[in-house]
Amino acid sequence: MNLGNPIAEGNTAKIFLSNNKIVKVFNDFLPETEALYEAEKQKYAYSCGLPVPKIHEVTKINDKQAIVMEYVKGETLGELFLHNQERAEHYLNLSVDVQMEIHDVIGDGIEPMVDKLYRQINGVEELSTKQKCYLVKKLDSFTNENRLCHGDFHLFNLLKTDRHIAIIDWVDSSMGDIRADIYRTYLLYSQFSSDLADLYLELYCKKSGLLKSEVFQWAPIIAAARLSENVSSENSERLMEIVNKYCSY
């Protein structure tokens, strides 16, 4: 099957537009269940009434696992921001409203965040046994919550359409503490701009009534979990500095 040239490409997959549908074709190095795993999470978010592209099928294309989903026409808030950076607060305000809508969802339809974090922390080779024990103990000290968290929430995963803002890329979603999800977004922004990260956090806390100190309690855990992802654009030394800053042995 010839899909033509991809319209986007990420660390794990290539994105094609074919017959007015989006086809996400996954790279070979991923587990055989990756497409199904991601599709089930996106289906759950869709079932909650959130503005999420509908999944049509999970299939194989040219012997590669793939997801076929609804095509949502629009530009990402990230693209709009890059073309008009003086409107950063406007785009972040829109994104915070969407993220708060996600965080309003309560349920147990997908993986618990704590299970995912335990697995990630224990899999990081850069962390010593002492550091892992501290982080796991800190994670255990938090009260488990079951709010829907996107896990990779930022302006480039939000598509502005004529009717609404659609939320894409649900593979990292889980049920857990929204403060962890907020810090994760803060961490992603701070990789590129501390000003953008600070503005995002200020807006979320102002709209929600949360304290920044509540969010930063999650800093060492989320930074440590980020280390497990081995993202080429991320600075592992920066993440270790965050872990060491907040860890007191």
Side-chain angles (χ1 to χ4, degrees):
M1 181 178 184
N2 185 13
L3 295 172
N5 295 320
I7 60 172
E9 187 170 347
N11 292 325
T12 61
K14 293 179 181 178
I15 309 297
F16 300 87
L17 177 59
S18 177
N19 297 321
N20 205 36
K21 294 181 176 130
I22 289 294
V23 182
K24 186 170 186 175
V25 180
F26 290 81
N27 295 333
D28 289 329
F29 63 83
L30 294 165
E32 292 183 2
T33 56
E34 188 71 16
L36 183 61
Y37 177 73
E38 179 171 337
E40 289 302 315
K41 289 191 172 189
Q42 189 163 321
K43 284 179 182 179
Y44 179 77
Y46 181 87
S47 74
C48 294
L50 294 169
V52 176
K54 183 179 180 179
I55 298 291
H56 291 302
E57 65 173 326
V58 178
T59 186
K60 283 268 186 108
I61 296 177
N62 300 330
D63 208 32
K64 295 179 184 287
Q65 55 183 322
I67 301 174
V68 181
M69 68 185 82
E70 174 190 4
Y71 169 50
V72 177
K73 186 177 181 180
E75 286 188 276
T76 68
L77 291 189
E79 292 167 325
L80 294 171
F81 161 70
L82 289 179
H83 294 139
N84 206 354
Q85 295 189 31
E86 64 272 15
R87 300 198 70 197
E89 185 169 347
H90 169 70
Y91 295 122
L92 285 173
N93 254 316
L94 291 176
S95 75
V96 166
D97 288 341
V98 173
Q99 194 173 23
M100 290 180 71
E101 185 179 356
I102 296 171
H103 290 163
D104 279 342
V105 175
I106 300 174
D108 58 0
I110 54 176
E111 179 182 22
M113 179 187 290
V114 291
D115 292 354
K116 181 180 180 182
L117 291 173
Y118 283 138
R119 185 174 66 251
Q120 288 178 311
I121 290 168
N122 285 317
V124 178
E125 294 182 359
E126 295 96 321
L127 295 173
S128 67
T129 300
K130 191 174 183 180
Q131 286 172 318
K132 290 179 181 180
C133 288
Y134 173 85
L135 292 166
V136 167
K137 186 176 180 180
K138 187 171 181 64
L139 182 55
D140 287 338
S141 73
F142 291 123
T143 302
N144 289 338
E145 295 194 10
N146 61 342
R147 299 295 186 101
L148 181 59
C149 297
H150 183 275
D152 193 27
F153 190 88
H154 52 75
L155 294 175
F156 286 93
N157 277 338
L158 298 171
L159 283 169
K160 181 77 168 64
T161 75
D162 293 336
R163 297 182 295 111
H164 57 227
I165 297 174
I167 315 153
I168 60 174
D169 285 351
W170 285 86
V171 67
D172 293 310
S173 61
S174 62
M175 284 293 180
D177 194 316
I178 66 171
R179 297 161 189 83
D181 200 41
I182 297 164
Y183 183 79
R184 165 78 177 192
T185 298
Y186 174 88
L187 183 67
L188 295 175
Y189 285 146
S190 66
Q191 178 185 353
F192 301 102
S193 168
S194 58
D195 289 340
L196 193 70
D198 289 340
L199 179 57
Y200 156 75
L201 187 57
E202 180 181 340
L203 291 170
Y204 197 107
C205 288
K206 183 178 179 180
K207 285 173 177 279
S208 66
L210 290 173
L211 298 175
K212 292 180 183 179
S213 58
E214 297 178 67
V215 175
F216 279 109
Q217 286 183 343
W218 283 91
I221 293 171
I222 301 304
R226 175 75 167 162
L227 280 166
S228 73
E229 298 171 26
N230 298 313
V231 179
S232 58
S233 60
E234 180 61 271
N235 184 340
S236 59
E237 291 181 3
R238 176 182 90 104
L239 297 174
M240 284 301 301
E241 285 177 5
I242 295 170
V243 172
N244 291 327
K245 176 182 177 181
Y246 289 92
C247 284
S248 55
Y249 307 114

